[in-house]
Amino acid sequence: MTGLALAFAGGLAGSLHCLGMCGGLVALLGGGAWSRLALYNLARVNTYAALGASAGALGSAIVAWAPLDVAARVLAVAGGLAVVAVGLEWLGVLAPRGQWLVGRVQRGIAAHARGLLEARSPWAPVAFGTANAFLPCHLVYAFVAMAAATGSVGRGALTMLVFGLGTVPAMMLAGSTRALVRGRTTASLARAAGAFVVVVGLVTIARAFGGVVHAHH
C-alpha cells in the first residue's frame, strides 16, 4: 500500500469517527444544499494541502540537516506512531487527550459562528471550511506529521490533499442527511474507525522499517 493510499484510507476511516465532532456543524452549514457543501469541502481540503506543504517544507529541512535515509525513516515512524496513538485513543486503549479543548472550540463555534453557518453568502462555506481545517483534531495532526515525513513540499501537499479527499464522502453525507449524524454515528462505528486507523499507522511504520531492511540488502 503506497503512502497516498494510506493517507486516503486514513481520511476515509477517520471521517466516520469525526462525524460526531463536525457533522452537526456541517449539517447546519449545508442545509441540504450540495453546492454549499462542495464549497465547504473544497476550502477545507485546500487548507489541508497547504498544511501538508508547510509540513513537507519542514521535513525537507530536517532531511537536509540529517542523513537522508535515517531522517526520512525517523519521520515516517514518528508519523505512523502518531496515527496509531489516535486509533488507540478512539478504541479506548489510551486516555483521550485534549477533549476539553475540542469541546470548548465546538461550543465557541456554535455560540459565535451561527450567523456564518446560516449565512446564504457563497463565501460562508468557504470561510467555514478554511477555519474547520484548523480545528483541534488529533488525526489531522498525525497525518500532517506523515506529510512532514515525505521531506518534500509537493509530496507533503499531495499527502494531505489525498487525506482530505478521503474525508469528503462522509462530510457530504453529514451535511445533506441530518439523521445520519444523529442516528448512525454509533460507538461501534467509531471503534471500527479506530481499528482501521491503527492498521494504517502500523503499515506506515512497517513500510519505514521495510525500507531500512531493503536498503541493507
Side-chain angles (χ1 to χ4, degrees), residues 29 39-40 43-44 47 116 121-134:
L29 172 73
L39 287 173
Y40 157 78
R44 184 174 57 83
T47 306
L116 173 64
S121 168
W123 292 107
V126 172
F128 184 67
T130 301
N132 196 176
F134 292 99

Side-chain angles (χ1 to χ4, degrees), residues 77-158:
V77 170
L81 287 174
V83 173
V84 169
V86 172
L88 292 177
E89 181 182 317
W90 290 355
L91 287 170
V93 177
L94 295 180
R97 298 158 295 157
Q99 294 299 102
W100 65 271
L101 178 60
V102 173
R104 187 169 184 176
V105 170
Q106 284 184 298
R107 289 191 295 271
I109 290 176
H112 301 293
R114 183 168 294 274
L116 173 64
L117 294 174
E118 296 178 342
R120 293 298 94 191
S121 168
W123 292 107
V126 172
F128 184 67
T130 301
N132 196 176
F134 292 99
L135 285 177
C137 175
H138 296 149
L139 187 66
V140 172
Y141 299 154
F143 275 91
V144 167
M146 289 180 63
T150 65
S152 163
V153 173
R155 290 197 298 273
L158 187 58

